[in-house]
Amino acid sequence: MSVPQLSSELAKARHSEMNSSALESFAIWTGIATVGFTLFGALCGGLYVWFSSKIKSLKTEMNLAEESKTKALTEAIFRLQQPADWTGTISVGFTAAGAFFGCLSWWFSSALSDMKEEARVRFETEYAAKLKGAEREVIQAHQETAKALADAAAANERTGTLEVKAANLRERAARAEYMMKAAEAQSEESRKEAARAGEGTANALAETAATKERASKLEVEAAALRERAARAENELTKVKERIKRRTISEAQRARLLQDLKPIPKGPAKIIAVMGDEEAGRFARQIADILKEAGWDDARVSRGIFRGSINSFEIRIRDREKAPMFALQIAQAFDSIRFEPIIVVDRSVAEGGVEIVVGMKADSE
């Protein structure tokens, strides 16, 4: 999975979490409002009952009292009747409001429950699909790594064969040059003998011409051998370039330090594949750069992994809770054309990352 895709999934997860938190907050507040309005309605209902009982007792007393006291009791009843009516009305209103907020609280709680269930089902479906995709990618990576190992072995064997052929060609070219010089010396000796003898000149000239022709043929053969040797040297150079060790240049190191130093630091482990010296050297170079950028505990350990490892991986525990500094480290290495692959591995510590350096991938 690439860095932009992982960032998009994290943004979607945060948006869904914000909606869920908002609904949960609404449910809590409407529940509090339900309890408050219901309690106040009950209090007003109690007051209304008290006022009603008081009015009832005054009416009973008025019926039993003398006529002179009836007027005073009537005024007292009138004064109590208005608060009783108000408390009754308020009690009904707050009770109705409590019921309304209770319905809202129930609706928010139901919507929140449905949202969480939908999110759970969607997460399980997406996780299963992505897990299958990751398994396919792992299988493909294993196949590609096996092919790369086979190609590297074939390249090494081919390199050895080319070196042997180049040595043979050099030896043949040296022999051809030696034979050419010998022919030239023989030709010169023949000319001297022809001059001293003063006879058999025609035969000597014929022999000299034949020697020169042979020398020309040897020169042509030597030139062809030199050309074949040059081609072998060129092919050998290309093979050596393919198996050249990975290294970070000074310019790339400076760019990495510039990008890594402002990043918030988190737990990071650097692991090199056991038995590969080139991977260990490259992992130590990465550890030195991280330590200089502020990861004081950055050090290299060796590990044995099931199957083959991609050239350069950054492993996280959970893509939904991926630490931001892991993505920033990946982007920093992307900027210098060392493109790490982000891999989800449940064995990685929560909140941390593992930088795994495997064998160098074949460039062809």
Side-chain angles (χ1 to χ4, degrees), residues 92-133:
V92 172
F94 274 95
T95 301
F100 172 74
F101 280 107
C103 292
L104 281 179
S105 177
W106 173 83
W107 184 83
F108 283 128
S109 299
S110 177
L112 179 62
S113 177
D114 293 342
M115 180 178 291
K116 287 183 177 180
E117 180 64 21
E118 181 182 354
R120 184 188 65 80
V121 173
R122 184 172 63 251
F123 173 78
E124 290 179 353
T125 303
E126 292 178 354
Y127 180 78
K130 291 174 182 176
L131 185 60
K132 290 182 180 178

Side-chain angles (χ1 to χ4, degrees), residues 144-181:
E144 292 177 353
T145 304
K147 182 181 177 183
L149 291 173
D151 291 343
N156 291 334
E157 183 179 358
R158 188 179 178 188
T159 300
T161 304
L162 289 174
E163 289 178 348
V164 173
K165 288 183 178 179
N168 291 334
L169 289 174
R170 293 191 196 99
E171 183 179 357
R172 291 181 63 184
R175 280 203 307 268
E177 290 179 357
Y178 174 77
M179 292 175 66
M180 185 177 65
K181 290 180 181 179

Side-chain angles (χ1 to χ4, degrees), residues 29-331:
W29 281 109
T30 51
I32 293 172
T34 300
V35 173
F37 278 102
T38 303
L39 287 176
F40 196 76
L43 178 63
C44 291
L47 288 175
Y48 175 74
V49 171
W50 182 81
F51 281 124
S52 299
S53 63
K54 193 71 174 176
I55 292 171
K56 185 177 180 181
S57 64
L58 288 175
K59 286 181 178 181
T60 302
E61 185 179 351
M62 184 179 66
N63 292 330
L64 298 175
E66 299 177 357
E67 185 175 353
S68 59
K69 296 181 180 181
T70 301
K71 185 176 181 181
L73 292 174
T74 301
E75 292 177 357
I77 291 171
F78 179 77
R79 285 194 302 268
L80 290 173
Q81 185 65 47
Q82 187 175 7
D85 294 338
W86 276 106
T87 53
T89 303
I90 293 172
S91 175
V92 172
F94 274 95
T95 301
F100 172 74
F101 280 107
C103 292
L104 281 179
S105 177
W106 173 83
W107 184 83
F108 283 128
S109 299
S110 177
L112 179 62
S113 177
D114 293 342
M115 180 178 291
K116 287 183 177 180
E117 180 64 21
E118 181 182 354
R120 184 188 65 80
V121 173
R122 184 172 63 251
F123 173 78
E124 290 179 353
T125 303
E126 292 178 354
Y127 180 78
K130 291 174 182 176
L131 185 60
K132 290 182 180 178
E135 290 175 353
R136 288 195 298 270
E137 292 177 358
V138 169
I139 293 172
Q140 183 179 359
H142 289 172
Q143 293 174 350
E144 292 177 353
T145 304
K147 182 181 177 183
L149 291 173
D151 291 343
N156 291 334
E157 183 179 358
R158 188 179 178 188
T159 300
T161 304
L162 289 174
E163 289 178 348
V164 173
K165 288 183 178 179
N168 291 334
L169 289 174
R170 293 191 196 99
E171 183 179 357
R172 291 181 63 184
R175 280 203 307 268
E177 290 179 357
Y178 174 77
M179 292 175 66
M180 185 177 65
K181 290 180 181 179
E184 290 177 352
Q186 186 177 0
S187 177
E188 183 65 23
E189 185 66 24
S190 297
R191 283 196 297 268
K192 290 180 180 179
E193 288 179 0
R196 284 196 304 266
E199 60 185 13
T201 305
N203 292 333
L205 290 174
E207 186 177 353
T208 300
T211 303
K212 287 182 178 179
E213 183 179 358
R214 184 181 177 189
S216 299
K217 290 180 179 179
L218 289 174
E219 287 180 354
V220 172
E221 185 177 355
L225 291 173
R226 291 191 195 97
E227 184 179 357
R228 290 179 63 186
R231 286 200 300 269
E233 290 284 350
N234 187 28
E235 190 168 353
L236 179 62
T237 302
K238 290 181 179 179
V239 172
K240 288 181 178 180
E241 179 65 24
R242 286 177 56 198
I243 60 176
K244 185 172 64 175
R245 295 169 179 168
R246 290 170 289 183
T247 185
I248 298 175
S249 66
E250 289 300 324
Q252 291 172 328
R253 181 187 183 94
R255 174 68 183 273
L256 272 177
L257 289 173
Q258 180 182 353
D259 293 341
L260 292 174
K261 284 183 178 180
I263 295 175
K265 306 303 183 286
K269 294 174 62 178
I270 301 98
I271 305 174
V273 173
M274 181 75 73
D276 192 318
E277 185 58 31
E278 191 274 340
R281 186 179 293 105
F282 185 52
R284 286 192 293 273
Q285 193 173 14
I286 293 174
D288 292 339
I289 292 173
L290 288 179
K291 186 175 292 185
E292 187 174 350
W295 277 270
D296 297 331
D297 58 347
R299 60 180 180 275
V300 178
S301 60
R302 291 285 189 166
I304 299 176
F305 300 87
R306 295 180 60 187
S308 301
I309 302 299
N310 292 311
S311 176
F312 185 14
E313 296 181 355
I314 293 182
R315 297 190 171 195
I316 57 176
R317 181 179 178 86
D318 188 351
R319 65 170 56 89
E320 301 296 337
K321 299 179 181 179
M324 188 58 64
F325 74 91
L327 304 180
Q328 293 172 327
I329 290 175
Q331 290 171 350

